[in-house]
Amino acid sequence: MMNRHLLCALMLALGAMPAGAANLVKTYSYFSISGRTLDDIENQLSKHGPEVKSTGMRHPGATQMAFTTKVNYAQTATSCRIADAQVTVKVKVILPQWRRPRNSDPDVRLFWDTLSADIKRHEERHVEIAKNHARALEDALKTSYPQKTCAEAKARAAEITTAELVRHDQDQVRFDRVEGVNFESRIIRLLHYRMERIQSGQLPPA
């Protein structure tokens, strides 16, 4: 049974969370790949990975995102303002699953464990970027200046939303560009790190 003091602390922490913070709805989807060698796995990822519209290519993983905004307005005799705004970002993270053959080579298993962990980290970072921009959008809407009419307030909300989503898209592209440049050195570094942990007994063999 949960310790009473821990339960109280948890309730206080939840109560201290900012009201109306941007919502994140996250789901996962998986696609299967086969193969026994590293070349097999690479070919399978190229063949079965999700096709990303922005590049027109298949990737080893992907994150689909959709932003929705709910805005309430308050009108007075002289102005109209945004009384409340709530932004929800729905994401679907698509990841590969390797149908590991029996007696697969330990080096291949080690590489796959390293690669698949990095793919998941990469896609989770895309989710984090999206959530940060959802929060920024929500804050920008809530703090926007009142307009003379609600029609003008709605037009201003649309402008704020468009501008923030453009910044979001730019940040996502920038992140992918940096990750692509550093991919090979990062994987080599992660392989060495995982091998050191296996040798020290901190991780089971692949």
Side-chain angles (χ1 to χ4, degrees):
M1 188 171 182
M2 183 178 288
N3 181 284
R4 180 172 295 180
H5 294 294
L6 178 60
L7 179 59
C8 290
L10 178 61
M11 292 176 67
L12 287 172
L14 291 173
M17 292 178 64
N23 295 321
L24 173 68
V25 179
K26 179 167 61 173
T27 58
Y28 291 89
S29 176
Y30 299 90
F31 64 96
S32 296
I33 63 169
S34 58
R36 184 174 294 275
T37 68
L38 297 182
D39 286 341
D40 290 341
I41 291 174
E42 182 179 356
N43 290 334
Q44 286 280 300
L45 288 173
S46 299
K47 183 178 179 180
H48 299 293
E51 185 175 347
V52 178
K53 292 182 180 179
S54 60
T55 64
M57 300 172 60
R58 292 191 177 275
H59 290 232
T63 301
Q64 299 172 348
M65 308 170 202
F67 289 78
T68 58
T69 304
K70 182 179 180 181
V71 181
N72 295 323
Y73 299 89
Q75 187 171 16
T76 67
T78 58
S79 66
C80 182
R81 64 180 179 84
I82 294 177
D84 189 34
Q86 187 173 62
V87 178
T88 299
V89 55
K90 294 183 179 181
V91 300
K92 179 181 179 182
V93 180
I94 305 172
L95 299 171
Q97 282 186 329
W98 180 36
R99 296 198 300 269
R100 181 176 296 182
R102 290 184 178 181
N103 302 321
S104 56
D105 190 290
D107 290 342
V108 177
R109 297 200 302 269
L110 174 63
F111 179 82
W112 171 255
D113 289 343
T114 304
L115 177 62
S116 60
D118 190 65
I119 293 171
K120 187 174 189 299
R121 175 206 56 81
H122 177 92
E123 298 307 330
E124 293 290 356
R125 178 56 184 151
H126 276 305
V127 174
E128 185 180 347
I129 292 171
K131 187 173 182 179
N132 288 341
H133 280 277
R135 287 173 175 167
L137 173 56
E138 194 170 279
D139 290 342
L141 289 169
K142 289 179 178 179
T143 57
S144 64
Y145 289 110
Q147 304 294 317
K148 291 182 179 180
T149 66
C150 283
E152 292 176 347
K154 291 178 181 179
R156 178 57 183 155
E159 291 175 359
I160 292 171
T161 300
T162 298
E164 188 59 45
L165 292 184
V166 167
R167 286 190 287 270
H168 164 265
D169 292 347
Q170 291 171 343
D171 278 352
Q172 297 284 16
V173 170
R174 188 179 301 112
F175 170 67
D176 271 337
R177 186 181 303 121
V178 173
E179 289 274 293
V181 170
N182 298 327
F183 173 75
E184 185 173 337
S185 61
R186 183 176 67 253
I187 292 298
I188 292 174
R189 185 176 67 254
L190 290 172
L191 279 169
H192 286 163
Y193 175 71
R194 189 176 286 264
M195 288 173 65
E196 288 173 356
R197 295 191 66 191
I198 291 173
Q199 291 169 359
S200 66
Q202 298 179 51
L203 279 179

